Amino acid sequence: MTDIIAKLRDEDLTTYAANEKLKVDSDYLRGQLMEDMADIATGAVSDGDLQLTKFHGFYLQDDRDLRSERRQQKLEPLYSFMVRLRIPGGRLSTAQWLVMDRVATDYANDTLRVTTRQTLQYHGVFKRNLRAHLKTINDVMVDTIAACGDVNRNVTSTANPHRSRLHLELFKLAAKISDHLLPHTRAYHEIFLGEERVYGGPDEVVEPLYTKHYLPRKFKIGLALPPDNEIDIHTNDIGFIAIVEGGEIVGFNVAVGGGMGSTHGEPDTYPRISDVIGYVPVDKAVDVAEKIMLVQRDNGDRKSRKHARVKYTVDTMGLEGFKAELENYLGYALEPTRDYRFDTTGDLLGWYQGEDGLWHYGLFVENGRVKDYPEDSPIHAGMKLKSGLKAIAESFDGDIVMSCNQNVIISNVPEAAKACIDELLDKFNMVKSATPLRQHSIACVALPTCGLAMAESERYLPTLLDKLDAVMRDAGLEQDPIVLRMTGCPNGCGRPFMAEIGFVGKAIGRYNLYLGGNFTGTRLNKMYRENIDEKTILEELTPMIHRYAREREPGECFGDFVIRVGIIKATVNGLDFHTQ
């Protein structure tokens, strides 16, 4: 096993990416954050600490809609933080939800956002409110530790742990993996929660897994229970695919090397779906997660952050080479892969009953934004999602669960409480009539808060969907689902490269159009047209959708159709993504 401390000696770090020296010099993620948080002359933090905040679960952003105006007024940008919670498996009790709701009102922009990593994030959290925000959620056992940064991030699991005992078992394992791979440093507690530092001397070791170097880049783990693939298992650095025999989860197929991010114009960067490398029994899952993370810790590219994800490590070492290194770390071999299949990446919406007789309501939340919309809103007129979910959380003692499709499941509802929840859904106008196309859509935040966004996404996709819904209706496909996703840049937070139709922002009002992903989340798409506007998008997709309606085979999904008839070539693997 490689000795990471010997491999990355401090004196050699000048040859590595700047973030590597920053991590080593940070005193286990403390840096100067204590001083930065006390500086009320600015809403920002210093450049070095800007990177460290990510390990604690938040990013510095500013309102890009106001940049020019504030510049003219000789004011600094309107800085605030995006704060992301760590919620393995996405479950909150209704009591916890009420606190999350209050925090959004008191310390953020009065909205919550369900993310594609099955958690919540807040926007518009000013520096003066950050500590109060974190202390309030900590009081109900929620934190933001490792929700961002070069560490293992929020571990995703099936969309509703209460659907069956197998779903619950998977959820519990997700929490166990998350806890096992948490950073050990107490920096978060000292800086933001007021804990007093306890010094252990100059040889104090506080990160037995991460060391002072942490990981080369972010690291993501997901667990899926076939035939449902609502978490997009193959987009994770590690995917655990549950194998059920005799009504029990006996183990997992292990997949490695998934990831969505790329950079426009740089073919050496590409999205990649994970490869299944073997099977392990249930009792070895945590150990395998740890050892894959350590292989990446010791072999990932620390010189180029654009080449530092596990997907590139797998392709550099070769799949068999990576597997052999993993088995060396484990001290045992993986077993042969077992059979499985996926049917869908979508969520169950509306009322459905769990194995134990309790009820669950899958609530479609377009693009994950939980807010109250004004009556004159052009998209969601009069929808009171935030107030409505608050009223529902006050009405019964159960759970509210987030999904990786940005939806919310009102969970563990007794039969006697269903009518009350139906009344609240109606009273707050929470259920919007949504076509299957819209229900299978995802958008990232993009403008105005994301500093990486090149184009709109969340604010624009509903408008484009209105026009595409009309095309689908004219083609007689109004009740047919197509997986459609949009992001404002190629970093891939909304998983656009897995969609049957994907849009990736290139500039304001212009997108790259991708086709050929599949409905089950097991194939990447490929770029079809570059840098096109809405008019061209509709000109391209309208005849294609009508042709699909006329010529599709029984049960054939759109992504499979466009490949079969030669509109686009299939992407076999990540290295094949840019080939035409």
Side-chain angles (χ1 to χ4, degrees):
M1 188 180 300
T2 304
D3 185 342
I4 186 68
I5 297 177
K7 183 180 178 182
L8 295 176
R9 294 184 181 91
D10 293 358
E11 61 269 26
D12 294 332
L13 289 178
T14 54
T15 64
Y16 289 80
N19 282 39
E20 295 304 314
K21 182 169 174 51
L22 177 69
K23 286 179 279 190
V24 168
D25 292 343
S26 71
D27 189 18
Y28 295 104
L29 308 182
R30 292 177 177 88
Q32 300 300 311
L33 276 170
M34 193 74 82
E35 294 82 354
D36 267 344
M37 295 308 299
D39 183 2
I40 61 173
T42 175
V45 295
S46 60
D47 288 344
D49 287 346
L50 189 64
Q51 300 303 317
L52 296 181
T53 62
K54 298 176 184 180
F55 289 81
H56 301 302
F58 28 92
Y59 283 77
L60 186 68
Q61 300 181 331
D62 74 284
D63 190 331
R64 293 171 62 178
D65 286 347
L66 300 178
R67 277 185 184 176
S68 296
E69 177 184 338
R70 291 182 69 84
R71 188 181 299 117
Q72 291 172 4
Q73 295 173 351
K74 302 191 184 305
L75 297 172
E76 73 173 10
L78 186 60
Y79 290 118
S80 64
F81 289 96
M82 181 279 288
V83 176
R84 183 179 297 151
L85 307 186
R86 181 179 67 93
I87 312 174
R91 171 198 165 273
L92 292 170
S93 69
T94 48
Q96 287 175 316
W97 181 273
L98 291 172
V99 175
M100 303 306 113
D101 175 90
R102 177 163 56 86
V103 163
T105 302
D106 292 348
Y107 304 123
N109 67 353
D110 206 28
T111 76
L112 305 98
R113 195 172 196 278
V114 182
T115 80
T116 55
R117 292 295 300 173
Q118 202 174 20
T119 185
L120 290 175
Q121 65 187 35
Y122 297 86
H123 295 267
V125 181
F126 295 121
K127 186 166 74 171
R128 63 178 180 270
N129 290 329
L130 185 59
R131 278 199 178 103
H133 183 295
L134 300 181
K135 287 180 180 179
T136 303
I137 64 171
N138 185 73
D139 287 343
V140 291
M141 307 298 291
V142 179
D143 61 55
T144 67
I145 299 170
C148 317
D150 298 345
V151 285
N152 177 59
R153 298 192 179 184
N154 198 55
V155 180
T156 61
S157 183
T158 55
N160 182 1
H162 304 299
R163 186 172 162 188
S164 75
R165 60 184 179 83
L166 298 186
H167 288 82
L168 184 60
E169 182 180 339
L170 221 59
F171 166 79
K172 289 179 177 178
L173 180 58
K176 187 175 181 180
I177 292 172
S178 178
D179 289 344
H180 184 71
L181 300 183
L182 270 183
H184 282 214
T185 177
R186 302 298 294 179
Y188 177 91
H189 304 81
E190 297 161 13
I191 299 166
F192 303 107
L193 302 180
E195 179 181 288
E196 185 175 348
R197 182 173 184 178
V198 177
Y199 290 86
D203 298 322
E204 176 185 23
V205 176
V206 297
E207 296 290 12
L209 294 179
Y210 290 106
T211 77
K212 60 186 175 182
H213 304 274
Y214 294 89
L215 299 180
R217 279 295 303 275
K218 58 188 174 183
F219 194 86
K220 299 178 179 180
I221 300 175
L223 297 87
L225 182 61
D228 295 330
N229 186 22
E230 69 269 50
I231 73 160
D232 258 337
I233 190 73
H234 287 294
T235 64
N236 288 272
D237 296 275
I238 306 176
F240 287 103
I241 303 168
I243 303 299
V244 178
E245 296 177 0
E248 303 292 337
I249 297 176
V250 295
F252 299 92
N253 283 341
V254 180
V256 297
M260 289 289 96
S262 66
T263 302
H264 286 317
E266 297 189 19
D268 289 341
T269 68
Y270 48 87
R272 188 184 192 280
I273 62 171
S274 61
D275 292 293
V276 177
I277 58 173
Y279 166 90
V280 295
V282 170
D283 62 357
K284 287 184 166 56
V286 175
D287 184 40
V288 169
E290 175 192 304
K291 296 307 190 297
I292 292 174
M293 191 181 82
L294 296 187
V295 171
Q296 168 64 0
R297 181 197 69 181
D298 297 350
N299 294 277
D301 189 343
R302 292 180 182 265
K303 294 186 177 181
S304 170
R305 287 185 64 79
K306 290 184 178 181
H307 195 255
R309 290 290 300 276
V310 174
K311 60 183 177 179
Y312 300 117
T313 308
V314 169
D315 283 342
T316 298
M317 298 177 70
L319 191 62
E320 289 304 314
F322 188 95
K323 180 181 177 182
E325 184 77 345
L326 169 62
E327 292 177 338
N328 179 45
Y329 278 50
L330 289 169
Y332 53 85
L334 302 179
E335 298 178 31
T337 299
R338 304 198 182 184
D339 291 337
Y340 69 97
R341 67 177 175 82
F342 288 126
D343 291 340
T344 180
T345 57
D347 290 338
L348 285 175
L349 299 177
W351 284 113
Y352 60 93
Q353 197 167 20
E355 187 178 76
D356 60 2
L358 292 173
W359 289 88
H360 316 281
Y361 189 91
L363 178 65
F364 174 62
V365 181
E366 188 157 27
N367 301 330
R369 183 68 66 177
V370 177
K371 65 179 290 185
D372 289 347
Y373 292 89
E375 295 296 333
D376 60 353
S377 171
I379 302 296
H380 304 98
M383 291 186 76
K384 307 294 183 185
L385 289 171
K386 184 171 180 293
S387 295
L389 281 169
K390 178 183 177 183
I392 288 171
E394 290 171 336
S395 72
F396 82 111
D397 183 16
D399 288 338
I400 293 179
V401 187
M402 282 72 68
S403 84
C404 291
N405 288 310
Q406 302 179 301
N407 297 316
V408 164
I409 301 100
I410 302 160
S411 188
N412 277 358
V413 181
E415 178 80 36
K418 283 182 65 183
C420 174
I421 289 176
D422 278 330
E423 289 176 7
L424 293 171
L425 290 169
D426 183 61
K427 175 182 177 181
F428 290 96
N429 195 23
M430 298 172 69
V431 181
K432 174 181 179 178
S433 178
T435 63
L437 177 69
R438 193 176 294 264
Q439 290 174 356
H440 286 80
S441 68
I442 287 176
C444 72
V445 174
L447 297 169
T449 52
C450 179
L452 300 175
M454 303 172 182
E456 295 280 1
S457 183
E458 178 186 341
R459 296 195 297 192
Y460 169 58
L461 183 57
T463 301
L464 179 61
L465 279 170
D466 285 343
K467 297 172 183 179
L468 290 175
D469 274 340
V471 175
M472 295 284 284
R473 184 170 56 252
D474 291 344
L477 299 175
E478 187 175 13
Q479 297 306 314
D480 288 73
I482 295 176
V483 177
L484 184 151
R485 296 169 182 171
M486 174 179 283
T487 57
C489 82
N491 282 326
C493 296
R495 305 191 296 275
F497 304 118
M498 301 296 290
E500 295 178 282
I501 300 175
F503 301 99
V504 176
K506 193 74 183 291
I508 298 298
R510 305 191 75 86
Y511 300 84
N512 291 348
L513 170 61
Y514 294 81
L515 299 173
N518 64 2
F519 194 72
T520 58
T522 57
R523 184 178 63 231
L524 290 167
N525 53 28
K526 192 181 292 290
M527 187 165 67
Y528 176 70
R529 288 290 308 272
E530 185 175 8
N531 198 27
I532 59 176
D533 60 9
E534 181 184 280
K535 179 175 180 292
T536 309
I537 288 170
L538 295 173
E539 287 174 349
E540 291 287 351
L541 289 180
T542 297
M544 201 182 300
I545 288 170
H546 280 269
R547 182 181 177 189
Y548 170 59
R550 294 191 308 270
E551 301 179 16
R552 61 179 173 166
E553 296 178 348
E556 187 175 34
C557 295
F558 181 80
D560 299 325
F561 170 79
V562 294
I563 291 172
R564 179 177 64 82
V565 301
I567 293 173
I568 198 80
K569 290 183 179 179
T571 296
V572 178
N573 55 49
L575 292 169
D576 179 48
F577 178 72
H578 294 293
T579 61
Q580 296 300 313

